[in-house]
Amino acid sequence: MKTIKLVSLATITTAVCLAMSPAVAADYPTRPISLVVPFVAGGAFDVIARLASKHFGDELGGAVVVENKPGAGGTLGGRLVANAKPDGYTLLLSGTGPISIAPAVYKKLGYVPAEVLEPVIQLTSSPFVLVTGEGFKGTTVKEFVAFLKADPDKYNYASTGNGTLVHLAGEYFQQQTITAFLHVPYSGGAPATQSMLANTTLFSITNVPNVLGQIKSGKLKGLATTGPKRSSAFFEIPTMIESGYPEFDLTGWIGIFAPLGTEPGIIQKLNAAFAKVMQAPEIKARLIEQGDEVATGSTKDFTAFVAASNKKWQKIANDAKVEID
């Protein structure tokens, strides 16, 4: 008597999908790809998205349409992509704030980006810069730390808003240097920078583009950058590591994500295409101008990197007790 083995519908479906995957990936893309940017047009994320989209067709043979979907601190666009069909035709260009910091500081975010998005590839790495106004006359980080410790809670720190990268960078500085100062949140990089120029606040640890012109002109003073190596925008300025704080390695980043469940073959095809796109001289030159650098790698590397980034920023937020309703 023959034994009849029953196979579940789920098993059959999985087998069929696996059998189809190579063909689907080989044909991809057959129509334009929507690249969602969760911020307004004209910002750093938008600029990189539009530069990359110009070169993408040369590598993968498909057009990329950039769609700006700002709102909720950059998390609205992430939600839209997470809820999209996982077919490779809706992608997200996002970064540290919406992916790593938002889940750490927003109590009612409603979703965890790392659980509903597939990392595809990291595109950039961006250090911050410790910058001071004319209220500090020294030239080194050690001198600045001593200056702050001499009068705890006397001086003001400018950020680009509560729960932002710049806010938490200041908290991280406070934790690493055991200093105490007052946080003053502003509604963006421009007013925060203006507050230092007007001597309303003493310093900030901010994105390089926010203060690039003011440091180059001598109106503000850059004491250190926060990445593992010197910034292309300020090669004469030492890093925090060089300044005597070996654990101080803090960078922002931008990368590409797809909806959870996107076929691995499509993910790998996208990874290879974006890796080549980011080597375009036009893109590399633009990044160098603003102190960023190309930071591509494998999907596996990016997945591990995002997990480490989430863990790091979560700890900074928890230790500082930063929560936003």
Side-chain angles (χ1 to χ4, degrees), residues 72-295:
T75 61
L76 177 61
R79 286 177 186 272
L80 291 173
V81 174
N83 291 326
K85 186 177 180 181
D87 56 7
Y89 290 98
T90 305
L91 305 176
L92 174 71
L93 184 142
S94 194
T96 324
I99 302 297
S100 295
I101 291 181
V105 301
Y106 284 99
K107 294 167 63 176
K108 300 176 182 178
L109 185 60
Y111 83 115
V112 180
E115 294 179 359
V116 293
L117 295 167
E118 299 266 14
V120 175
I121 187 170
Q122 183 179 355
L123 301 181
T124 72
S125 178
S126 310
F128 305 99
V129 58
L130 168 58
V131 59
T132 68
E134 62 181 30
F136 172 63
K137 304 303 181 183
T139 58
T140 69
V141 176
K142 286 292 181 70
E143 290 174 326
F144 185 61
V145 170
F147 181 77
L148 293 175
K149 286 185 174 182
D151 290 294
D153 291 320
K154 177 181 178 180
Y155 298 104
N156 293 338
Y157 169 83
S159 86
T160 53
N162 284 316
T164 61
L165 279 166
V166 177
H167 176 194
L168 291 190
E171 296 294 343
Y172 186 67
F173 179 83
Q174 197 162 212
Q175 294 162 11
Q176 292 288 307
T177 59
I178 316 177
T179 50
F181 42 83
L182 303 176
H183 169 228
V184 181
Y186 289 88
S187 59
T193 299
Q194 185 58 42
S195 75
M196 288 184 283
L197 293 170
N199 295 318
T200 304
T201 58
L202 177 66
F203 77 110
S204 187
I205 301 174
T206 190
N207 308 88
V208 170
N210 289 340
V211 291
L212 180 60
Q214 290 79 7
I215 291 177
K216 293 288 189 182
S217 67
K219 293 178 180 178
L220 294 175
K221 185 187 306 179
L223 299 182
T225 54
T226 65
K229 62 183 182 180
R230 294 196 179 196
S231 167
S232 58
F234 304 121
F235 198 72
E236 71 282 4
I237 299 177
T239 65
M240 286 293 295
I241 294 170
E242 292 174 306
S243 300
Y245 296 90
E247 303 300 317
F248 205 115
D249 180 0
L250 199 67
T251 57
W253 52 268
I254 293 175
I256 299 292
F257 296 83
L260 189 68
T262 302
E263 291 190 21
I266 290 176
I267 295 286
Q268 293 309 312
K269 202 166 185 180
L270 287 166
N271 177 281
F274 275 107
K276 289 184 178 179
V277 162
M278 293 305 291
Q279 297 304 315
E282 179 186 12
I283 294 177
K284 296 179 78 171
R286 182 60 180 265
L287 291 177
I288 288 172
E289 284 178 6
Q290 58 189 40
D292 299 341
E293 64 179 56
V294 174

